[in-house]
Amino acid sequence: MKDFDSLVGIWNEQKTAPQIDYKEVINQYKKSREKLSLKFFQEILLMLPAIFIVIYLWINISFSFWTSYLGLSIVAGCCIYFIVIQLINIKNIVNSNTLFDKPQDHIQFLQKFRKSRYIQHTRNYKIYSIALGLGISLYFIEFFYSLNIWIMLGIVTATIAWFVICYMYLMKIYINKEEKRFTEMIENLERLSNQFKDEI
């Protein structure tokens, strides 16, 4: 009898456990989606000046070496690639309206989107960095013959240092923040989904 009373007590505790407030979860989720879209949009706006600078250099400066034009083309290609990828990401978020129709499909969409973002930040970012570095290196050939050797070494060292800081430090912070945001979004929706299953 004592065991039965204990079992009933445990059951009642579970039954009266605080339920997740679905309105709060959905509002948080909407805010996270908006922040993610806004972040992509801001990154596009930050990349646009780089393209304008490359176009300006191409049109207004007469370079002595063809490598400068090739280098600028590669840098412009990297900038365009970055903008296109961010536009695709924004489009994916805007078009993902399955939360209320098919919640489980929406959770799967988020998991796939998270995976594709991780690939963009790791494998694709390596290729992007190599291409960007190659473009800048080809562009720097122009200045190798006209600038003082120490100034040139300073510029090259500063550029390499910036690439290393971005790759080894800043990118890891960026990835961790985004992973944390995705984890929070997915976990909240999964908990909400499980709660509705339990109530049915």
Side-chain angles (χ1 to χ4, degrees):
M1 189 68 180
K2 194 175 183 181
D3 291 338
F4 178 75
D5 290 340
S6 299
L7 190 63
V8 169
I10 292 166
W11 174 255
N12 285 333
E13 280 177 19
Q14 288 179 345
K15 201 173 177 182
T16 57
Q19 297 292 304
I20 303 163
D21 182 0
Y22 74 92
K23 286 181 182 176
E24 188 182 327
V25 169
I26 289 167
N27 284 336
Q28 273 185 333
Y29 173 74
K30 283 180 178 177
K31 283 178 187 175
S32 294
R33 267 176 57 133
E34 285 168 12
K35 281 181 185 176
L36 207 55
S37 294
L38 185 63
K39 185 182 75 166
F40 295 150
F41 187 69
Q42 286 171 340
E43 288 171 2
I44 290 169
L45 291 179
L46 288 171
M47 187 57 78
L48 287 174
I51 290 179
F52 292 133
I53 290 166
V54 170
I55 292 167
Y56 176 83
L57 291 172
W58 184 283
I59 293 168
N60 293 300
I61 297 177
S62 181
F63 296 107
S64 303
F65 297 93
W66 62 269
T67 52
S68 298
Y69 294 104
L70 179 59
L72 285 174
S73 298
I74 293 169
V75 171
C78 289
C79 294
I80 291 165
Y81 164 80
F82 181 86
I83 289 170
V84 168
I85 287 296
Q86 298 302 61
L87 287 172
I88 290 168
N89 288 329
I90 291 170
K91 186 183 173 188
N92 283 336
I93 289 174
V94 170
N95 291 340
S96 62
N97 295 319
T98 56
L99 177 60
F100 298 107
D101 300 329
K102 298 174 183 176
Q104 207 56 44
D105 287 358
H106 194 75
I107 291 168
Q108 285 176 0
F109 155 76
L110 275 178
Q111 289 166 338
K112 284 179 186 175
F113 187 57
R114 176 192 196 173
K115 190 178 178 182
S116 75
R117 286 291 294 165
Y118 186 77
I119 291 167
Q120 286 170 25
H121 295 324
T122 52
R123 186 189 66 196
N124 293 8
Y125 184 72
K126 283 178 189 175
I127 297 165
Y128 173 83
S129 296
I130 291 166
L132 191 60
L134 176 65
I136 291 169
S137 300
L138 289 169
Y139 178 70
F140 279 170
I141 291 171
E142 184 82 25
F143 303 102
F144 184 76
Y145 295 98
S146 58
L147 286 177
N148 178 292
I149 188 71
W150 295 110
I151 294 172
M152 192 62 204
L153 278 173
I155 292 169
V156 169
T157 304
T159 304
I160 291 169
W162 175 247
F163 270 87
V164 170
I165 290 166
C166 285
Y167 187 79
M168 301 296 291
Y169 181 69
L170 296 177
M171 200 60 194
K172 286 182 180 177
I173 293 171
Y174 187 92
I175 291 168
N176 287 338
K177 278 186 179 177
E178 197 166 281
E179 281 291 306
K180 189 179 176 183
R181 180 172 284 150
F182 275 120
T183 300
E184 190 179 298
M185 288 163 72
I186 291 166
E187 282 180 355
N188 283 340
L189 290 178
E190 281 178 340
R191 282 168 59 212
L192 193 62
S193 177
N194 289 334
Q195 178 176 304
F196 283 126
K197 280 179 189 173
D198 291 342
E199 287 177 0
I200 291 170

